[in-house]
Amino acid sequence: MDQRIEVLAKNLVTYSCRVGKGEKVLIESIGEDPKLLVKALVKEVYAAGGYPFVTIKDQSVTRELLKGIDKTQAELMAKYELERMKDMDAYIAIRGSENSSELSDIDSDKMKIYTDHFMKPVHLSERVNNTKWVVLRYPNNSMAQLANTSLETFEDFYYNVCNLDYSKMSKAMDSLTKLLDRTDKVRIVGPGTDLTFSIKNIPSVKCCGLRNIPDGEVYSAPVRDSINGTISYNTPSVYQGTTFENICFKFENGKIVEATSNNTEKLNEILDTDDGARYIGEFAIGVNPYILKPMKDTLFDEKIAGSIHFTPGQAYKLADNGNKSAIHWDLVLIQRPDFGGGEIWFDDVLIRKDGIFVIDELEVLNPENLK
């Protein structure tokens, strides 16, 4: 077995999930490719004194289920999986599907049923809030193709990113969490973007390898009704099997009142999922020094150095602004000069320009200091 897989498995079990003796760990894999990592994870969970449980899913099978799903079916699926999730101490998900667009032709009404009656109770409500969880992709030909590179080159990139020293990153993030915690007014400026909102009294959370691999963001949430202005995202996003580009939102008192993209009709269908889908549940700043270009994979793209993401939908429990929704859609704006540049202001002080932190206390988070 590739030694890098063994290192990754050990880090996931001992660092990300901190598995202890007697703890139950659900390992959920999508696709055939991750089997080597699944086996390595089982071995590491046993070594930590835990009990591993494994589920292997396939997106083409999920597609067949969703084609005929109704509310009763979704609720029954949730009933059984929710009981199991409630019994777990930790959850590790490996996503290695060969086709990121496998679900793109599922009827939007069917996707809404699946999201509302399965994903929300099992994952957004239970797993996210009540387990030690970590989610990651697995390097395969599909991901290499999205990244426009060979599989070998992508694997080298992947293991550099995923086996980064996240404990070092964690210490560096302390300066940003402290600044966020004492900030009221935020302003985001860039091409097609001029956005203001408050984060007053909303906690900040550092993401340093304990929830996502790769990782590298610090998040909070805007005061729900405080957002005004416009944001133009410059990173493509695959959501529910459809690729969205050039997404632009206009906000009035927190609500998305206008939304356009290359697929404006479907974009607005998603935002009409429920009342909370047109409000923002997360504001985050990306700092991973190895991730520089988008590859239409949220787990990577939201960590891009010099980026932010501004997320319609459900707020996280640890930085809760009260917004509830069946969706949580991380949309990314990169502010480095090669993507048009941009600025972040905290309480009328410029803290990051063109993707580089410009105040002394945050320089530890610039790329050269995290590698």
Side-chain angles (χ1 to χ4, degrees), residues 140-155:
N140 58 17
N141 281 305
S142 176
M143 290 189 70
Q145 190 171 38
L146 286 172
N148 295 313
T149 188
S150 67
L151 178 58
E152 181 179 0
T153 298
F154 182 77
E155 286 177 336

Side-chain angles (χ1 to χ4, degrees), residues 174-184 199-205 218-220 318-319 346-347:
D174 288 339
S175 58
L176 181 53
T177 60
K178 291 175 182 176
L179 180 57
L180 282 162
D181 287 343
R182 63 176 187 263
T183 295
D184 176 1
I199 56 172
K200 187 176 183 179
N201 297 326
I202 307 287
S204 63
V205 181
V218 176
Y219 74 86
S220 181
L318 294 177
F346 285 179
D347 291 329

Side-chain angles (χ1 to χ4, degrees), residues 143-356:
M143 290 189 70
Q145 190 171 38
L146 286 172
N148 295 313
T149 188
S150 67
L151 178 58
E152 181 179 0
T153 298
F154 182 77
E155 286 177 336
D156 290 341
F157 159 74
Y158 175 91
Y159 289 111
N160 277 338
V161 169
C162 292
N163 290 335
L164 183 70
D165 184 349
Y166 285 108
S167 61
K168 176 183 177 181
M169 176 183 284
S170 175
K171 294 176 183 177
M173 286 175 166
D174 288 339
S175 58
L176 181 53
T177 60
K178 291 175 182 176
L179 180 57
L180 282 162
D181 287 343
R182 63 176 187 263
T183 295
D184 176 1
K185 181 183 174 183
V186 178
R187 185 182 181 198
I188 309 294
V189 181
T193 297
D194 194 343
L195 197 67
T196 60
F197 54 94
S198 172
I199 56 172
K200 187 176 183 179
N201 297 326
I202 307 287
S204 63
V205 181
K206 58 183 182 179
C207 298
C208 45
L210 300 180
R211 290 291 178 263
N212 292 165
I213 294 292
D215 217 340
E217 65 173 272
V218 176
Y219 74 86
S220 181
V223 174
R224 188 175 185 267
D225 299 328
S226 70
I227 310 164
N228 285 285
T230 302
I231 184 169
S232 298
Y233 300 95
N234 56 12
T235 303
S237 176
V238 178
Y239 194 77
Q240 296 180 353
T242 298
T243 299
F244 293 87
E245 297 179 342
N246 303 316
I247 292 176
C248 181
F249 293 154
K250 180 181 179 182
F251 291 87
E252 291 182 3
N253 300 321
K255 186 176 183 179
I256 299 169
V257 295
E258 186 177 322
T260 59
S261 73
N262 64 315
N263 193 335
T264 295
E265 181 179 356
K266 192 158 188 176
L267 172 64
N268 280 279
E269 285 180 5
I270 294 170
L271 296 176
D272 289 335
T273 297
D274 50 40
D275 290 342
R278 285 191 177 267
Y279 290 84
I280 296 298
E282 179 189 0
F283 160 58
I285 297 173
V287 299
N288 194 302
Y290 287 106
I291 309 177
L292 300 175
K293 297 185 296 183
M295 49 177 286
K296 293 196 290 187
D297 190 306
T298 300
L299 276 181
F300 284 78
D301 294 351
E302 67 179 359
K303 316 303 188 322
I304 289 172
S307 73
I308 67 162
H309 52 278
F310 207 60
T311 305
Q314 178 77 20
Y316 285 125
K317 187 176 182 179
L318 294 177
D320 194 359
N321 69 351
N323 199 45
K324 307 298 180 187
S325 177
I327 75 165
H328 180 92
W329 188 3
D330 294 310
L331 294 170
V332 178
L333 169 60
I334 306 170
Q335 294 188 304
R336 300 198 318 272
D338 46 331
F339 288 87
E343 299 172 351
I344 301 176
W345 295 75
F346 285 179
D347 291 329
D348 299 318
V349 175
L350 179 66
I351 65 115
R352 198 180 76 177
K353 182 175 176 61
D354 295 340
I356 298 297

